[in-house]
Amino acid sequence: MKIRLYGTVNDSIVDGPGLRYTIFTQGCPHHCFGCHNPDSHDMHGGYIEDTHKIVQEILENPLLDGVTLSGGEPLLQPLPLIEIIKQVKPLHIMIYSGYNYEEILQLGEDQKQLLSLCDTLVDGRFDMSKRSLELLYKGSSNQRIINIQKSLQCNKVMIQEVSEYGELL
């Protein structure tokens, strides 16, 4: 299966807890002012990659603690990301989305399936007026770090606690 990418990072230490493989998808409808990856907004930009190649890169790195889905907006390409995640579990899967949790549940079945395969969600649009460099794993204070599996079980948003060292509690 093919996916449109802005890029990948094989050894990220800033896109979630531990050492991570980060997938930056291409295309974003949100266009948040001050976005960290504005070149990822163009729906036709970036490049096309085979999901098999990405899975191979992930599986060849035994030091990885997890995979992070970022963008752009990952929820625009749920099917190739689902394919990738199914092959790299049980690694921790973190997803960033400009949509909030409640919006994601209304987007469609493919987006809900993608969400259900992930462990942690950083949701909400980046808000430059609420930006802080002191926040772990998020760019602005309006964004939430959500424990997806607990939220789905409880049928309500369950905030994921993060230690001062960046560990998910």
Side-chain angles (χ1 to χ4, degrees):
M1 186 175 285
K2 303 292 184 190
I3 185 169
R4 184 172 293 277
L5 296 178
Y6 175 63
T8 61
V9 176
N10 196 14
D11 293 317
S12 173
I13 58 170
V14 297
D15 297 312
L19 189 64
R20 309 188 70 78
Y21 186 98
T22 304
I23 300 169
F24 293 96
T25 60
Q26 182 71 36
C28 184
H30 307 301
H31 304 284
C32 300
F33 175 73
C35 175
H36 185 70
N37 296 324
D39 291 339
S40 70
H41 294 179
D42 181 0
M43 300 291 187
H44 304 289
Y47 61 97
I48 302 294
E49 187 61 82
D50 192 290
T51 55
H52 178 73
K53 181 177 183 248
I54 295 168
V55 169
Q56 284 305 113
E57 288 179 0
I58 294 168
L59 296 177
E60 288 173 359
N61 187 342
L63 301 177
L64 290 176
D65 296 301
V67 174
T68 297
L69 311 176
S70 190
E73 174 57 66
L75 291 169
L76 296 180
Q77 300 185 71
L79 296 178
L81 293 172
I82 289 167
E83 181 176 300
I84 292 168
I85 291 170
K86 284 183 174 181
Q87 296 179 65
V88 302
K89 275 295 203 177
L91 289 173
H92 177 269
I93 308 296
M94 188 163 184
I95 183 169
Y96 283 80
S97 177
Y99 296 107
N100 66 39
Y101 179 83
E102 295 82 1
E103 290 173 320
I104 295 168
L105 295 178
Q106 302 302 314
L107 287 177
E109 291 306 312
D110 294 337
Q111 288 80 7
K112 286 195 289 192
Q113 182 182 3
L114 174 57
L115 186 70
S116 74
L117 294 171
C118 299
D119 301 296
T120 304
L121 166 69
V122 178
D123 80 338
R125 291 160 183 78
F126 172 73
D127 183 338
M128 183 62 106
S129 70
K130 297 177 180 173
R131 175 180 182 244
S132 173
L133 298 176
E134 295 179 14
L135 298 170
L136 288 174
Y137 309 135
K138 56 186 186 172
S140 55
S141 61
N142 61 298
Q143 295 172 313
R144 302 176 293 184
I145 301 174
I146 297 171
N147 182 316
I148 296 169
Q149 298 308 311
K150 283 185 181 177
S151 297
L152 291 171
Q153 288 172 359
C154 298
N155 203 27
K156 67 177 185 174
V157 172
M158 301 296 291
I159 300 299
Q160 178 75 61
E161 298 297 322
V162 181
S163 78
E164 64 182 290
Y165 304 110
E167 298 166 327
L168 299 176
L169 305 174

